[in-house]
Amino acid sequence: MKALLKFRPLFANRAKGLLLALALSLVTLAAGVALLGTSGWFITAAALTTLGVSFNLFVPSSLVRGFSFIRILARYGEKLVGHDATLRLLADIRGWLFGRLFPRIPLADRSLRHGDLVSRLTADVDALDTAFLVAIGPIAAAVVVGTVMTAVLAWLIPGAALVYGLCFALAALAVPALLVVSSRRAGTEVVQRAAATRMAVLDGIDGHADLVAFGILGTTQADFADKAGALAAARGRLASYATAASGSVQLLSGLALVSVLWAGLLAFDAGAIDGPVMIGLLLAVLGSFEATGAIVRSVAKLSTAMAAAERLSEVAEAPIAIADPARPMALPEDGAIAFADVTFCYGGNAPVLRDIDLAIAPGQRLAITGPSGSGKSSLLKLLLRLADPQSGRVTLGGVPLTALRQADLHAHIALLSQDSPVFNDSIRNNLLIGRADADDVALWAALDAAQIGAFVRSLPRGLDTVLGEMGRTVSTGQSRRLCLARTLVSNAPVLLLDEPTNGLDRAAELAFFETLKTATAGRTVVLVTHAEIPEGTVDAVVELRNGAVVR
């Protein structure tokens, strides 16, 4: 519950919508109770009326219709306002979560798998919508209606008020609370099993080709079936708790109804209450317990919401792997880059870089080559300060990167990697990722420098052309040039290129290197590549082997 309370400020931001939904829920429930009570009184009174006595049918029939319409409209309004507020709340939670997550990338906890992170960012966030829609709101509305109904019974049938109030309190508060406590472990298990199942699905999709090639697809399918079976069993246990709670509520409802009937008959015999009024109260009592049944049917989801909140809080409060200095230094004007006796490893494993000494002058084009696993990409990661070396230091203009604000550093250094994505958006918005305030002149200049401006101009919508998922509407070479243009838009004086020609044929590769030579004029370029580099593309080449510079 503590983890769920951490999201209270976000709930408070949507308080107006949530309170309006609560009010409409209360109106819906009250109208339903009034509809049943009025109908019972009306039918009984009409049946007991003799033919010789006139009976006003208009007023009670109007009340029945009025309460019916009020209930329908309030229910619609409750769903509309409640779901709107909840969806906006989920958007706020996602914004808050991503805001907390960005400074923590790369995550310090490297045991968190990709599939588990995806599960937390999607399913766990969605689970929080139950906190209001199916728990807090209905409970609050039920308490109000139960209190009012107890007061009405205390006025008309005093002998029934105490038993009804006790039964209603147990059904609306005690049983749901006991359900939450007893199902807490089952709810946590459901969330964990669901996350494991999603990870199995993602792993199976990502590695399908390898699983087929190595002939272990059957083993993977069996593992997935085991995880799915465990999830089903956990959900079954959670459902059993909810079923027991629903049975308890029905028992309490029956007890309350019998007590009101017994006390009502005694009051009727004593002439303290009319028969139609007693019947109306009986049906109103029955209608009031409708809220408690809805609570129990859905409050079981609150245990999964609490488990989801704990998982989200765990990510949001993870230690920041790379932190800004308390008193950052100004970004130096001299952009010389230097690695001085740098050694780096991941998580205490064997070093991937050893005693690296490397100097890159402003405006120099440097290519870093070497076999896979030699530490080339790790070198770029240190330069972007996505990680810090275990020993030695990396400096920019003589200032250690650890003394600079990361935002300043990332504005100074731009990256084009082999995995740089083209997003399912317009060309304009893809380019603006590089610099949000760039105007069309700057965008066209970057496109022309990347030698793709003519292609974009030939498109019917130009910069407003939507590229499709992963840029499927353009070729691989064009996609890579668009990513280069986005990097150039940034105006960063230092460009890091990590295998930018990966996946291109030799002709497209040579064309890209030719473009690179002209497009990056005046900027410092660090190019990591396996490709054969055409003469004149770079000023110097450094080879890495086994994490060390080959001299």
Side-chain angles (χ1 to χ4, degrees):
M1 185 61 75
K2 290 182 180 179
L4 197 57
L5 291 176
K6 292 178 182 179
F7 294 89
R8 184 172 52 190
L10 297 175
F11 278 78
N13 292 339
R14 298 296 172 186
K16 290 183 179 179
L18 296 175
L19 288 176
L20 179 57
L22 174 59
L24 289 171
S25 174
L26 180 59
V27 171
T28 302
L29 185 56
V33 173
L35 176 61
L36 277 175
T38 302
S39 299
W41 169 81
F42 177 31
I43 294 171
T44 306
L48 294 176
T49 301
T50 63
L51 295 176
V53 179
S54 62
F55 182 76
N56 186 352
L57 298 174
F58 179 75
V59 173
S61 62
S62 298
L63 287 175
V64 169
R65 291 183 181 182
F67 287 135
S68 178
F69 278 118
I70 290 173
R71 186 174 186 273
I72 292 171
L73 293 175
R75 176 71 72 187
Y76 176 79
E78 175 203 351
K79 297 299 182 184
L80 179 65
V81 174
H83 283 82
D84 177 74
T86 301
L87 290 174
R88 293 179 185 276
L89 173 64
L90 294 182
D92 293 343
I93 293 174
R94 286 193 173 91
W96 170 85
L97 182 60
F98 278 100
R100 298 293 299 271
L101 190 60
F102 285 156
R104 290 166 170 79
I105 296 175
L107 292 173
D109 181 10
R110 303 185 67 87
S111 65
L112 187 64
R113 294 172 57 189
H114 172 72
D116 192 18
L117 181 60
V118 170
S119 180
R120 297 188 192 214
L121 297 180
T122 54
D124 288 352
V125 171
D126 290 339
L128 295 185
D129 68 352
T130 61
F132 180 83
L133 281 182
V134 302
I136 299 174
I139 288 175
V143 168
V144 172
V145 169
T147 302
V148 172
M149 193 68 211
T150 302
V152 171
L153 288 173
W155 174 38
L156 296 175
I157 312 178
L162 179 60
V163 176
Y164 168 83
L166 181 60
C167 289
F168 194 90
L170 290 173
L173 298 175
V175 172
L178 184 61
L179 175 60
V180 170
V181 172
S182 61
S183 65
R184 183 73 179 88
R185 182 175 179 180
T188 301
E189 189 177 4
V190 166
V191 172
Q192 292 174 344
R193 300 290 188 188
T197 304
R198 292 188 189 94
M199 283 190 286
V201 172
L202 290 174
D203 290 345
I205 293 173
D206 290 341
H208 183 263
D210 290 335
L211 294 174
V212 173
F214 286 101
I216 57 172
L217 189 59
T219 304
T220 305
Q221 290 174 333
D223 179 65
F224 172 76
D226 290 342
K227 287 182 170 59
L231 174 60
R235 285 178 171 166
R237 285 189 289 274
L238 189 61
S240 66
Y241 287 113
T243 300
S246 294
S248 301
V249 167
Q250 292 300 320
L251 183 62
L252 290 168
S253 174
L255 180 60
L257 193 63
V258 169
S259 69
V260 173
L261 176 60
W262 181 264
L265 289 174
L266 293 178
F268 178 75
D269 285 340
I273 190 172
D274 293 335
V277 174
M278 186 190 73
I279 298 302
L281 287 174
L282 283 172
L283 291 179
V285 166
L286 192 62
S288 67
F289 272 87
E290 176 188 347
T292 62
I295 291 171
V296 170
R297 285 194 301 271
S298 54
V299 80
K301 298 179 182 178
L302 190 60
S303 60
T304 61
M306 289 190 291
E310 290 176 356
R311 283 163 52 85
L312 292 176
S313 297
E314 183 182 345
V315 173
E317 296 173 0
I320 298 177
I322 306 297
D324 278 335
R327 295 183 178 179
M329 297 179 63
L331 197 69
E333 294 183 3
D334 179 11
I337 298 169
F339 290 78
D341 198 26
V342 169
T343 295
F344 172 68
C345 65
Y346 292 101
N349 296 318
V352 294
L353 293 173
R354 298 180 181 85
D355 305 323
I356 298 294
D357 289 304
L358 185 64
I360 306 170
Q364 182 182 8
R365 303 165 186 266
L366 176 70
I368 301 176
T369 64
S372 297
S374 59
K376 303 186 298 300
S377 295
S378 296
L379 201 70
L380 299 187
K381 185 173 292 188
L382 294 180
L383 191 50
L384 284 165
R385 210 187 164 217
L386 298 178
D388 287 330
Q390 279 72 37
S391 64
R393 66 177 190 168
V394 185
T395 60
L396 178 64
V399 178
L401 299 189
T402 53
L404 300 173
R405 288 179 64 246
Q406 293 178 78
D408 293 339
L409 179 65
H410 295 158
H412 189 82
I413 302 175
L415 171 69
L416 171 61
S417 74
Q418 57 182 314
D419 299 322
S420 292
V422 173
F423 296 96
N424 185 14
D425 206 336
S426 66
I427 293 176
R428 183 194 308 278
N429 289 337
N430 267 275
L431 296 178
L432 289 176
I433 294 173
R435 180 161 55 95
D437 61 351
D439 56 19
D440 283 6
V441 174
L443 299 184
W444 285 115
L447 289 169
D448 288 335
Q451 295 186 13
I452 196 173
F455 168 74
V456 176
R457 288 186 179 90
S458 70
L459 299 173
R461 300 190 62 190
L463 289 172
D464 295 317
T465 301
V466 176
L467 295 172
E469 189 74 24
M470 298 301 293
R472 65 173 181 267
T473 58
V474 295
S475 68
T476 303
Q478 290 167 333
S479 174
R480 203 60 50 85
R481 289 177 185 273
L482 285 170
C483 291
L484 175 61
R486 181 168 62 205
T487 305
L488 297 175
V489 165
S490 68
N491 283 338
V494 179
L495 303 181
L496 308 183
L497 310 176
D498 188 4
E499 302 287 0
T501 61
N502 185 51
L504 301 181
D505 59 33
R506 185 55 180 170
E509 187 176 73
L510 291 173
F512 186 87
F513 278 132
E514 185 62 29
T515 300
L516 189 65
K517 183 169 60 175
T518 58
T520 60
R523 305 197 197 195
T524 303
V525 176
V526 181
L527 170 64
V528 167
T529 184
H530 283 100
E532 182 181 345
I533 306 171
E535 188 175 349
T537 302
V538 296
D539 302 319
V541 177
V542 170
E543 184 180 0
L544 284 182
R545 285 189 179 275
N546 298 320
V549 176
V550 178
R551 302 296 180 181

